[in-house]
Amino acid sequence: MASGDDLIKYITERVVHYIDTPKDVRRKAKVKESWTTRWFGMIPFSMSLWKEDVTTKRRKRQK
């Protein structure tokens, strides 16, 4: 486990880096997540992947 001094040094470096970056860059770096992810986590994404996999397997069987 890191000592208290290491933790304070790390937090200080992060804060200084945040302050040094211009607002424009910080705003561009933000990625807005969709409302389904925010409300339900990864469940909708995993369900969509599962559905896509099932439909492609059905199409391959029909050919």
Side-chain angles (χ1 to χ4, degrees):
M1 182 156 211
S3 68
D5 294 335
D6 293 337
L7 183 61
I8 290 173
K9 181 180 175 185
Y10 173 75
I11 292 172
T12 306
E13 288 174 358
R14 296 289 297 190
V15 168
V16 169
H17 176 71
Y18 178 80
I19 292 172
D20 285 343
T21 54
K23 271 189 178 181
D24 307 357
V25 175
R26 281 186 273 160
R27 287 186 181 150
K28 288 181 184 177
K30 288 183 183 178
V31 176
K32 187 169 181 172
E33 59 188 359
S34 65
W35 67 271
T36 55
T37 306
R38 185 176 303 151
W39 280 53
F40 304 109
M42 293 301 291
I43 294 172
F45 177 69
S46 61
M47 294 292 285
S48 68
L49 285 178
W50 174 75
K51 180 184 173 193
E52 186 177 309
D53 187 43
V54 169
T55 55
T56 56
K57 285 182 181 178
R58 284 184 183 169
R59 287 181 187 157
K60 286 181 181 179
R61 276 194 237 152
Q62 290 177 354
K63 288 183 178 181

